[in-house]
Amino acid sequence: MQKLLVANFKMNGNKNFYKKVNKEINKLKSKDTVILCPPFVYMPFFKFKNKNVFLGSQDIAEIDNKKSTGQINAAMLNEFAVNYSIIGHSERRANGESDELIAKKIQYAQKNGIIPIVCIGLKTKTLKVDFLVEQVKSALSLAENKDIIFAYEPNWAIGSGVQPTVKNIDKVIDVIKTTASELGFNATVLYGGSVNASNFEEVSKSKAEGFLMGTVSLKLDELFKIFKGI
Ligand code: PGA
C-alpha cells in the first residue's frame, strides 16, 4: 500500500536546514507520497523534482479576509504550490482553536484546492469514542469534498516517546472511518505521535494509511530512512 508520509517541522529549523532538506528530498526515490510542512517563511526554499513529493502548510486561515494580521490565506499558499494543510493540530487547539473554527478552515482549504490533513486527538489514554465521533462530525460539518484525510494524534503521544498499541490505533481508525462513511465521506486515516525509525515497523502493522511526524523530522537520517520505507 502506498503510504502518506507527512513531516511536520513545527517551529524548527533554519535556512541551512531547509536548503539541505530540499537537496536531499530531490535525491529521494520513494514509492510513498511525501508531504513536507515547513514554517511558512521557508516555503520558497522548496522546488521538487519528484512527482510524489508535495508541500504542506502547518495551518491556514479560515477566510480570505485581508484585514487579518498574522494569517496566511489560500491564494498565498497556492503561489508557493502548497497542496496540503495540517488543520486542527493539538498544539493549535491548545492555543484556542475551536471545533467550529477548524470546520471553517477545512471548508476554506477545500474550496481553494488545498487538501486538509485534519488532526483528531484524545487527551487521555482512555478511548473516548463519543469525543472522537464529535470531533469527526464537527470537522466534516462544512466540508464539501468527500475525500478527506484525518490524522489520529493522541495528545499524550505527541513528542513524548510513548505510543498507543496497534490495537488502540486500529480501534480509533475504525471509529473515524465509520463516522466519516456514515456521513458520506471517504476518509484516509494517518497516525501521528512519536513515530520514529525504531518504532516504524511496529506502527506500520496498524491500519494507518500513513504517518504524521514531528520530532523525527528534525533527524534527517532517520526521517529519510522512513521515507525510503527503512
Ligand atoms: P511527534 O509530533 O512526532 O513529535 O510526536 C507529531 C505531531 O505533533 O504532529
Side-chain angles (χ1 to χ4, degrees):
M1 180 190 66
Q2 205 197 21
K3 294 190 202 74
L4 266 178
L5 301 175
V6 189
N8 173 14
F9 295 101
K10 307 195 180 183
M11 199 170 66
N12 292 298
N14 54 29
K15 278 191 198 174
N16 283 340
F17 176 80
Y18 290 108
K19 280 182 187 164
K20 193 168 172 207
V21 178
N22 185 58
K23 205 169 145 200
E24 293 301 317
I25 205 78
N26 283 318
K27 291 190 233 157
L28 177 74
K29 286 193 175 59
S30 172
K31 57 178 176 22
D32 294 321
T33 298
V34 172
I35 303 164
L36 301 181
C37 306
F40 292 121
V41 290
Y42 295 115
M43 285 179 172
F45 288 100
F46 289 94
K47 300 272 176 304
F48 302 133
K49 293 184 185 143
N50 312 7
K51 285 199 303 291
N52 55 337
V53 180
F54 299 91
L55 210 47
S57 64
Q58 297 175 17
D59 188 27
I60 187 170
E62 73 285 10
I63 193 164
D64 268 333
N65 190 345
K66 304 282 186 292
K67 291 178 190 163
S68 192
T69 303
Q71 282 196 290
I72 304 283
N73 68 24
M76 295 166 186
L77 295 176
N78 286 331
E79 277 206 308
F80 289 94
V82 173
N83 294 91
Y84 295 85
S85 183
I86 299 172
I87 298 180
H89 191 280
S90 64
E91 286 156 12
R92 299 206 60 83
R93 290 182 192 255
N95 272 341
E97 284 200 7
S98 64
D99 282 342
E100 290 73 27
L101 179 63
I102 289 161
K104 281 187 192 157
K105 288 187 173 192
I106 294 166
Q107 180 188 39
Y108 175 72
Q110 285 190 338
K111 272 205 166 122
N112 289 284
I114 291 175
I115 302 168
I117 300 170
V118 185
C119 298
I120 297 291
L122 265 186
K123 292 196 179 108
T124 60
K125 289 193 179 176
T126 323
L127 204 147
K128 294 207 171 111
V129 175
D130 291 353
F131 184 72
L132 287 169
V133 169
E134 282 319 306
Q135 276 184 77
V136 174
K137 280 188 178 166
S138 169
L140 296 175
S141 60
L142 303 172
E144 282 156 27
N145 189 325
K146 297 295 174 195
D147 288 315
I148 186 110
I149 303 171
F150 284 104
Y152 165 45
E153 294 218 312
N155 300 26
W156 51 270
I158 296 177
S160 65
V162 185
Q163 281 186 327
T165 57
V166 167
K167 210 170 141 194
N168 173 286
I169 297 175
D170 285 352
K171 262 194 189 162
V172 173
I173 290 178
D174 285 344
V175 171
I176 296 175
K177 278 192 181 272
T178 309
T179 309
S181 151
E182 281 168 7
L183 295 167
F185 289 83
N186 172 37
T188 296
V189 189
L190 319 180
Y191 166 76
S194 294
V195 173
N196 59 37
S198 318
N199 58 35
F200 189 72
E201 213 181 298
E202 179 65 15
V203 283
S204 293
K205 290 178 191 157
S206 73
K207 294 183 186 172
E209 292 156 287
F211 301 96
L212 177 50
M213 300 169 284
T215 311
V216 77
S217 304
L218 305 176
K219 301 173 188 162
L220 294 185
D221 287 354
E222 264 194 68
L223 181 68
F224 276 80
K225 266 194 194 171
I226 293 175
F227 286 167
K228 287 176 194 157
I230 301 196

